[in-house]
Amino acid sequence: MNTYALITGSSRGIGRAIAERLAKEGYTVLINYHSHPEAAEATKAAIEAAGGQAELLPFDVTDGAAIEAALSAWDAAHEGEHISVLVNNAGIRRDGLLVFMNEEDWHDVLRTTTEGFYYTTHHVLPGMLRARKGRIVNIASVSGVCGIPGQANYSAAKAALIGATKALSKEVAARKVTVNAVAPGFIATDMTADLDEAELKKTIPAGRFGTPEEVAALVSFLCSDEAAYITGQVINIAGGMG
Ligand code: NDP
């Protein structure tokens, strides 16, 4: 029987690294994406070339009806099975000082993180509760822990995700479902490609950006049986920032 892990936003970046890592550990990974099907196909091909198993599961994490349709179709095609691991990873950045920030940039960033968490978790959680086992890992950010100027929307979104992590962890702990948040600092992906890495590195005690694979290793541990007693936590992975 397969053990399924759904990673939202796993066509690229940190999500892709998490999908590759969990696939290596024997999960059948469900690769969610929205706007880059070719990147999702490439992730799937890389996983299969390494001997792993993957399925594509496209939906927009801000679209509740699309999530319900996609996950209900998945349930119907996988009778008797459920998703054991959920990584809420999809996220976007639209930086700017609040005084200049338009409504769209505020709402889009908030919705991608908070509605993505709500709709996906709301659908997947009952299966974990019935199985009396599950792992939910939410990809937050040091921005949501400390607040970063120019990121009021992003800091608010990630802080909300951290609050939801803590509340939900207490609701489901007795059913052996753990819920944790990971708070990365600067990680080298498309999301940070436009930043001045040389300048920012000076503000990071470790003196470098992290890699998606380093974040994936932490997520993988939180998903393991050995991490059964860790829940409701926010774990920074930020080279000493925050
Ligand atoms: P990337 O921009 O490299 O990748 C983002 C991923 O999210 C893509 O796979 C994209 O899929 C997906 N995505 C975006 N919007 C949606 C949507 N509406 N529905 C479904 N999927 C969506 O970002 P990173 O890998 O860098 O970031 C991943 C997570 O880590 C994010 O939550 C981010 O906030 C967080 N993070 C990143 C840090 C960094 O320094 N990189 C630091 C701290 C946190 P597609 O393009 O196919 O639609």
mmCIF file of all heavy atoms in Angstrom, residues 102-135:
data_model
loop_
_atom_site.group_PDB
_atom_site.id
_atom_site.type_symbol
_atom_site.label_atom_id
_atom_site.label_comp_id
_atom_site.label_asym_id
_atom_site.label_seq_id
_atom_site.Cartn_x
_atom_site.Cartn_y
_atom_site.Cartn_z
ATOM 1 N N ASN A 102 -0.630 48.266 -2.719
ATOM 2 C CA ASN A 102 -2.023 48.269 -3.178
ATOM 3 C C ASN A 102 -2.768 47.059 -2.598
ATOM 4 O O ASN A 102 -2.175 46.111 -2.101
ATOM 5 C CB ASN A 102 -2.097 48.342 -4.705
ATOM 6 C CG ASN A 102 -1.479 47.116 -5.358
ATOM 7 O OD1 ASN A 102 -1.679 46.000 -4.901
ATOM 8 N ND2 ASN A 102 -0.721 47.324 -6.426
ATOM 9 N N GLU A 103 -4.099 47.155 -2.705
ATOM 10 C CA GLU A 103 -4.984 46.138 -2.112
ATOM 11 C C GLU A 103 -4.700 44.742 -2.655
ATOM 12 O O GLU A 103 -4.749 43.758 -1.940
ATOM 13 C CB GLU A 103 -6.420 46.483 -2.526
ATOM 14 C CG GLU A 103 -7.280 47.057 -1.448
ATOM 15 C CD GLU A 103 -8.713 47.177 -1.945
ATOM 16 O OE1 GLU A 103 -8.951 48.078 -2.761
ATOM 17 O OE2 GLU A 103 -9.549 46.357 -1.554
ATOM 18 N N GLU A 104 -4.430 44.702 -3.970
ATOM 19 C CA GLU A 104 -4.223 43.408 -4.618
ATOM 20 C C GLU A 104 -3.012 42.685 -4.020
ATOM 21 O O GLU A 104 -3.063 41.482 -3.744
ATOM 22 C CB GLU A 104 -4.014 43.656 -6.111
ATOM 23 C CG GLU A 104 -4.302 42.466 -6.957
ATOM 24 C CD GLU A 104 -3.983 42.743 -8.417
ATOM 25 O OE1 GLU A 104 -3.809 43.916 -8.808
ATOM 26 O OE2 GLU A 104 -3.887 41.761 -9.160
ATOM 27 N N ASP A 105 -1.911 43.431 -3.844
ATOM 28 C CA ASP A 105 -0.705 42.805 -3.303
ATOM 29 C C ASP A 105 -0.919 42.368 -1.857
ATOM 30 O O ASP A 105 -0.360 41.368 -1.401
ATOM 31 C CB ASP A 105 0.496 43.763 -3.399
ATOM 32 C CG ASP A 105 0.992 43.885 -4.836
ATOM 33 O OD1 ASP A 105 0.540 43.079 -5.689
ATOM 34 O OD2 ASP A 105 1.813 44.779 -5.111
ATOM 35 N N TRP A 106 -1.697 43.133 -1.124
ATOM 36 C CA TRP A 106 -2.026 42.721 0.246
ATOM 37 C C TRP A 106 -2.830 41.416 0.217
ATOM 38 O O TRP A 106 -2.448 40.415 0.815
ATOM 39 C CB TRP A 106 -2.813 43.831 0.962
ATOM 40 C CG TRP A 106 -3.285 43.404 2.321
ATOM 41 C CD1 TRP A 106 -4.519 42.898 2.642
ATOM 42 C CD2 TRP A 106 -2.513 43.385 3.539
ATOM 43 N NE1 TRP A 106 -4.563 42.585 3.983
ATOM 44 C CE2 TRP A 106 -3.359 42.863 4.550
ATOM 45 C CE3 TRP A 106 -1.209 43.754 3.853
ATOM 46 C CZ2 TRP A 106 -2.922 42.709 5.877
ATOM 47 C CZ3 TRP A 106 -0.784 43.600 5.176
ATOM 48 C CH2 TRP A 106 -1.628 43.079 6.171
ATOM 49 N N HIS A 107 -3.944 41.413 -0.543
ATOM 50 C CA HIS A 107 -4.853 40.261 -0.515
ATOM 51 C C HIS A 107 -4.236 39.015 -1.152
ATOM 52 O O HIS A 107 -4.405 37.911 -0.640
ATOM 53 C CB HIS A 107 -6.178 40.609 -1.194
ATOM 54 C CG HIS A 107 -7.025 41.516 -0.374
ATOM 55 N ND1 HIS A 107 -7.475 41.180 0.882
ATOM 56 C CD2 HIS A 107 -7.498 42.766 -0.608
ATOM 57 C CE1 HIS A 107 -8.191 42.176 1.388
ATOM 58 N NE2 HIS A 107 -8.209 43.152 0.506
ATOM 59 N N ASP A 108 -3.534 39.169 -2.269
ATOM 60 C CA ASP A 108 -2.997 37.988 -2.965
ATOM 61 C C ASP A 108 -2.011 37.219 -2.082
ATOM 62 O O ASP A 108 -2.023 35.984 -2.042
ATOM 63 C CB ASP A 108 -2.302 38.385 -4.276
ATOM 64 C CG ASP A 108 -3.314 38.745 -5.362
ATOM 65 O OD1 ASP A 108 -4.531 38.580 -5.125
ATOM 66 O OD2 ASP A 108 -2.882 39.220 -6.426
ATOM 67 N N VAL A 109 -1.145 37.950 -1.393
ATOM 68 C CA VAL A 109 -0.142 37.290 -0.542
ATOM 69 C C VAL A 109 -0.832 36.607 0.645
ATOM 70 O O VAL A 109 -0.545 35.450 0.966
ATOM 71 C CB VAL A 109 0.936 38.301 -0.090
ATOM 72 C CG1 VAL A 109 1.826 37.708 0.987
ATOM 73 C CG2 VAL A 109 1.776 38.727 -1.291
ATOM 74 N N LEU A 110 -1.770 37.314 1.267
ATOM 75 C CA LEU A 110 -2.505 36.725 2.403
ATOM 76 C C LEU A 110 -3.290 35.495 1.969
ATOM 77 O O LEU A 110 -3.271 34.452 2.636
ATOM 78 C CB LEU A 110 -3.470 37.773 2.994
ATOM 79 C CG LEU A 110 -3.046 38.609 4.200
ATOM 80 C CD1 LEU A 110 -2.966 37.770 5.468
ATOM 81 C CD2 LEU A 110 -1.740 39.344 4.001
ATOM 82 N N ARG A 111 -3.983 35.630 0.832
ATOM 83 C CA ARG A 111 -4.854 34.534 0.397
ATOM 84 C C ARG A 111 -4.051 33.287 0.042
ATOM 85 O O ARG A 111 -4.449 32.172 0.363
ATOM 86 C CB ARG A 111 -5.689 34.959 -0.814
ATOM 87 C CG ARG A 111 -6.787 35.956 -0.455
ATOM 88 C CD ARG A 111 -7.597 36.330 -1.672
ATOM 89 N NE ARG A 111 -8.249 35.148 -2.237
ATOM 90 C CZ ARG A 111 -8.498 34.985 -3.521
ATOM 91 N NH1 ARG A 111 -8.136 35.898 -4.400
ATOM 92 N NH2 ARG A 111 -9.108 33.903 -3.938
ATOM 93 N N THR A 112 -2.930 33.468 -0.637
ATOM 94 C CA THR A 112 -2.167 32.287 -1.062
ATOM 95 C C THR A 112 -1.740 31.469 0.157
ATOM 96 O O THR A 112 -1.862 30.238 0.167
ATOM 97 C CB THR A 112 -0.946 32.708 -1.898
ATOM 98 O OG1 THR A 112 -1.400 33.517 -2.986
ATOM 99 C CG2 THR A 112 -0.193 31.507 -2.449
ATOM 100 N N THR A 113 -1.286 32.148 1.187
ATOM 101 C CA THR A 113 -0.832 31.409 2.365
ATOM 102 C C THR A 113 -1.981 30.943 3.257
ATOM 103 O O THR A 113 -2.045 29.763 3.619
ATOM 104 C CB THR A 113 0.162 32.282 3.174
ATOM 105 O OG1 THR A 113 1.357 32.392 2.415
ATOM 106 C CG2 THR A 113 0.488 31.667 4.516
ATOM 107 N N THR A 114 -2.905 31.836 3.587
ATOM 108 C CA THR A 114 -3.905 31.455 4.593
ATOM 109 C C THR A 114 -5.036 30.620 3.993
ATOM 110 O O THR A 114 -5.448 29.621 4.579
ATOM 111 C CB THR A 114 -4.491 32.696 5.297
ATOM 112 O OG1 THR A 114 -5.096 33.539 4.325
ATOM 113 C CG2 THR A 114 -3.411 33.467 6.036
ATOM 114 N N GLU A 115 -5.525 31.001 2.817
ATOM 115 C CA GLU A 115 -6.601 30.202 2.219
ATOM 116 C C GLU A 115 -6.046 28.868 1.723
ATOM 117 O O GLU A 115 -6.708 27.841 1.800
ATOM 118 C CB GLU A 115 -7.302 30.973 1.104
ATOM 119 C CG GLU A 115 -8.024 32.181 1.682
ATOM 120 C CD GLU A 115 -8.852 32.960 0.677
ATOM 121 O OE1 GLU A 115 -9.131 32.454 -0.426
ATOM 122 O OE2 GLU A 115 -9.215 34.091 1.013
ATOM 123 N N GLY A 116 -4.791 28.911 1.225
ATOM 124 C CA GLY A 116 -4.142 27.659 0.821
ATOM 125 C C GLY A 116 -4.094 26.695 1.988
ATOM 126 O O GLY A 116 -4.420 25.510 1.856
ATOM 127 N N PHE A 117 -3.700 27.196 3.139
ATOM 128 C CA PHE A 117 -3.659 26.353 4.343
ATOM 129 C C PHE A 117 -5.059 25.844 4.666
ATOM 130 O O PHE A 117 -5.271 24.647 4.872
ATOM 131 C CB PHE A 117 -3.115 27.152 5.535
ATOM 132 C CG PHE A 117 -3.414 26.477 6.853
ATOM 133 C CD1 PHE A 117 -2.611 25.447 7.309
ATOM 134 C CD2 PHE A 117 -4.518 26.863 7.605
ATOM 135 C CE1 PHE A 117 -2.914 24.797 8.508
ATOM 136 C CE2 PHE A 117 -4.819 26.214 8.794
ATOM 137 C CZ PHE A 117 -4.019 25.193 9.246
ATOM 138 N N TYR A 118 -6.032 26.754 4.708
ATOM 139 C CA TYR A 118 -7.381 26.356 5.158
ATOM 140 C C TYR A 118 -7.993 25.293 4.246
ATOM 141 O O TYR A 118 -8.385 24.216 4.701
ATOM 142 C CB TYR A 118 -8.315 27.577 5.247
ATOM 143 C CG TYR A 118 -9.741 27.125 5.407
ATOM 144 C CD1 TYR A 118 -10.181 26.591 6.633
ATOM 145 C CD2 TYR A 118 -10.615 27.124 4.331
ATOM 146 C CE1 TYR A 118 -11.477 26.101 6.766
ATOM 147 C CE2 TYR A 118 -11.907 26.637 4.463
ATOM 148 C CZ TYR A 118 -12.335 26.129 5.670
ATOM 149 O OH TYR A 118 -13.599 25.621 5.794
ATOM 150 N N TYR A 119 -8.081 25.599 2.957
ATOM 151 C CA TYR A 119 -8.816 24.703 2.063
ATOM 152 C C TYR A 119 -8.155 23.327 1.968
ATOM 153 O O TYR A 119 -8.834 22.302 1.991
ATOM 154 C CB TYR A 119 -8.914 25.309 0.649
ATOM 155 C CG TYR A 119 -9.833 26.493 0.553
ATOM 156 C CD1 TYR A 119 -9.364 27.714 0.066
ATOM 157 C CD2 TYR A 119 -11.169 26.406 0.912
ATOM 158 C CE1 TYR A 119 -10.204 28.807 -0.051
ATOM 159 C CE2 TYR A 119 -12.014 27.492 0.801
ATOM 160 C CZ TYR A 119 -11.529 28.695 0.316
ATOM 161 O OH TYR A 119 -12.363 29.776 0.203
ATOM 162 N N THR A 120 -6.828 23.320 1.849
ATOM 163 C CA THR A 120 -6.151 22.037 1.646
ATOM 164 C C THR A 120 -6.202 21.215 2.932
ATOM 165 O O THR A 120 -6.550 20.027 2.914
ATOM 166 C CB THR A 120 -4.691 22.281 1.196
ATOM 167 O OG1 THR A 120 -4.699 23.254 0.160
ATOM 168 C CG2 THR A 120 -4.049 21.015 0.683
ATOM 169 N N THR A 121 -5.887 21.853 4.044
ATOM 170 C CA THR A 121 -5.874 21.122 5.313
ATOM 171 C C THR A 121 -7.281 20.645 5.666
ATOM 172 O O THR A 121 -7.468 19.512 6.135
ATOM 173 C CB THR A 121 -5.327 22.038 6.435
ATOM 174 O OG1 THR A 121 -4.070 22.563 6.007
ATOM 175 C CG2 THR A 121 -5.141 21.273 7.731
ATOM 176 N N HIS A 122 -8.272 21.490 5.421
ATOM 177 C CA HIS A 122 -9.657 21.140 5.747
ATOM 178 C C HIS A 122 -10.076 19.868 5.020
ATOM 179 O O HIS A 122 -10.796 19.028 5.576
ATOM 180 C CB HIS A 122 -10.572 22.305 5.349
ATOM 181 C CG HIS A 122 -11.974 22.142 5.816
ATOM 182 N ND1 HIS A 122 -13.004 21.786 4.982
ATOM 183 C CD2 HIS A 122 -12.516 22.265 7.045
ATOM 184 C CE1 HIS A 122 -14.134 21.716 5.682
ATOM 185 N NE2 HIS A 122 -13.859 21.994 6.931
ATOM 186 N N HIS A 123 -9.620 19.684 3.802
ATOM 187 C CA HIS A 123 -9.991 18.480 3.058
ATOM 188 C C HIS A 123 -9.193 17.253 3.498
ATOM 189 O O HIS A 123 -9.725 16.155 3.579
ATOM 190 C CB HIS A 123 -9.808 18.691 1.544
ATOM 191 C CG HIS A 123 -10.377 17.550 0.758
ATOM 192 N ND1 HIS A 123 -11.611 17.611 0.135
ATOM 193 C CD2 HIS A 123 -9.913 16.286 0.549
ATOM 194 C CE1 HIS A 123 -11.864 16.441 -0.431
ATOM 195 N NE2 HIS A 123 -10.835 15.623 -0.198
ATOM 196 N N VAL A 124 -7.896 17.462 3.778
ATOM 197 C CA VAL A 124 -7.003 16.316 4.019
ATOM 198 C C VAL A 124 -7.077 15.810 5.473
ATOM 199 O O VAL A 124 -6.900 14.620 5.738
ATOM 200 C CB VAL A 124 -5.552 16.730 3.637
ATOM 201 C CG1 VAL A 124 -4.536 15.724 4.116
ATOM 202 C CG2 VAL A 124 -5.443 16.940 2.124
ATOM 203 N N LEU A 125 -7.361 16.708 6.399
ATOM 204 C CA LEU A 125 -7.299 16.363 7.822
ATOM 205 C C LEU A 125 -8.206 15.196 8.250
ATOM 206 O O LEU A 125 -7.757 14.337 9.022
ATOM 207 C CB LEU A 125 -7.610 17.627 8.643
ATOM 208 C CG LEU A 125 -7.440 17.539 10.155
ATOM 209 C CD1 LEU A 125 -6.018 17.156 10.556
ATOM 210 C CD2 LEU A 125 -7.821 18.887 10.791
ATOM 211 N N PRO A 126 -9.465 15.107 7.786
ATOM 212 C CA PRO A 126 -10.313 14.001 8.258
ATOM 213 C C PRO A 126 -9.686 12.621 8.024
ATOM 214 O O PRO A 126 -9.814 11.733 8.875
ATOM 215 C CB PRO A 126 -11.615 14.180 7.453
ATOM 216 C CG PRO A 126 -11.652 15.647 7.159
ATOM 217 C CD PRO A 126 -10.217 16.049 6.927
ATOM 218 N N GLY A 127 -9.011 12.433 6.900
ATOM 219 C CA GLY A 127 -8.361 11.145 6.621
ATOM 220 C C GLY A 127 -7.291 10.832 7.656
ATOM 221 O O GLY A 127 -7.131 9.689 8.096
ATOM 222 N N MET A 128 -6.534 11.860 8.044
ATOM 223 C CA MET A 128 -5.489 11.665 9.066
ATOM 224 C C MET A 128 -6.133 11.340 10.414
ATOM 225 O O MET A 128 -5.659 10.465 11.146
ATOM 226 C CB MET A 128 -4.636 12.921 9.208
ATOM 227 C CG MET A 128 -3.822 13.270 7.981
ATOM 228 S SD MET A 128 -2.831 14.748 8.327
ATOM 229 C CE MET A 128 -2.050 15.012 6.748
ATOM 230 N N LEU A 129 -7.203 12.031 10.749
ATOM 231 C CA LEU A 129 -7.863 11.808 12.046
ATOM 232 C C LEU A 129 -8.429 10.393 12.113
ATOM 233 O O LEU A 129 -8.305 9.711 13.144
ATOM 234 C CB LEU A 129 -8.956 12.855 12.275
ATOM 235 C CG LEU A 129 -8.467 14.307 12.398
ATOM 236 C CD1 LEU A 129 -9.651 15.265 12.496
ATOM 237 C CD2 LEU A 129 -7.538 14.482 13.600
ATOM 238 N N ARG A 130 -9.004 9.936 10.996
ATOM 239 C CA ARG A 130 -9.551 8.568 10.972
ATOM 240 C C ARG A 130 -8.438 7.542 11.126
ATOM 241 O O ARG A 130 -8.581 6.541 11.804
ATOM 242 C CB ARG A 130 -10.313 8.322 9.664
ATOM 243 C CG ARG A 130 -11.757 8.824 9.701
ATOM 244 C CD ARG A 130 -12.559 8.252 8.533
ATOM 245 N NE ARG A 130 -12.021 8.702 7.247
ATOM 246 C CZ ARG A 130 -12.388 9.843 6.650
ATOM 247 N NH1 ARG A 130 -13.300 10.613 7.210
ATOM 248 N NH2 ARG A 130 -11.861 10.187 5.498
ATOM 249 N N ALA A 131 -7.279 7.836 10.494
ATOM 250 C CA ALA A 131 -6.144 6.902 10.545
ATOM 251 C C ALA A 131 -5.405 6.985 11.881
ATOM 252 O O ALA A 131 -4.556 6.154 12.185
ATOM 253 C CB ALA A 131 -5.175 7.199 9.409
ATOM 254 N N ARG A 132 -5.728 8.004 12.664
ATOM 255 C CA ARG A 132 -5.020 8.274 13.933
ATOM 256 C C ARG A 132 -3.519 8.389 13.713
ATOM 257 O O ARG A 132 -2.697 7.918 14.480
ATOM 258 C CB ARG A 132 -5.329 7.205 14.975
ATOM 259 C CG ARG A 132 -6.760 7.315 15.467
ATOM 260 C CD ARG A 132 -7.046 6.396 16.631
ATOM 261 N NE ARG A 132 -8.148 6.887 17.457
ATOM 262 C CZ ARG A 132 -9.410 6.964 17.067
ATOM 263 N NH1 ARG A 132 -9.745 6.591 15.849
ATOM 264 N NH2 ARG A 132 -10.346 7.422 17.886
ATOM 265 N N LYS A 133 -3.158 9.066 12.644
ATOM 266 C CA LYS A 133 -1.752 9.335 12.343
ATOM 267 C C LYS A 133 -1.685 10.356 11.216
ATOM 268 O O LYS A 133 -2.440 10.246 10.244
ATOM 269 C CB LYS A 133 -1.048 8.052 11.907
ATOM 270 C CG LYS A 133 0.447 8.234 11.768
ATOM 271 C CD LYS A 133 1.178 6.942 11.470
ATOM 272 C CE LYS A 133 2.653 7.241 11.343
ATOM 273 N NZ LYS A 133 3.444 6.090 10.970
ATOM 274 N N GLY A 134 -0.797 11.313 11.339
ATOM 275 C CA GLY A 134 -0.629 12.257 10.235
ATOM 276 C C GLY A 134 0.423 13.289 10.565
ATOM 277 O O GLY A 134 0.813 13.473 11.720
ATOM 278 N N ARG A 135 0.899 13.922 9.506
ATOM 279 C CA ARG A 135 1.913 14.963 9.665
ATOM 280 C C ARG A 135 1.519 16.148 8.790
ATOM 281 O O ARG A 135 1.305 15.993 7.572
ATOM 282 C CB ARG A 135 3.275 14.456 9.169
ATOM 283 C CG ARG A 135 3.876 13.333 9.997
ATOM 284 C CD ARG A 135 4.462 13.873 11.286
ATOM 285 N NE ARG A 135 5.108 12.827 12.052
ATOM 286 C CZ ARG A 135 4.519 12.076 12.981
ATOM 287 N NH1 ARG A 135 3.240 12.231 13.255
ATOM 288 N NH2 ARG A 135 5.194 11.160 13.633
#
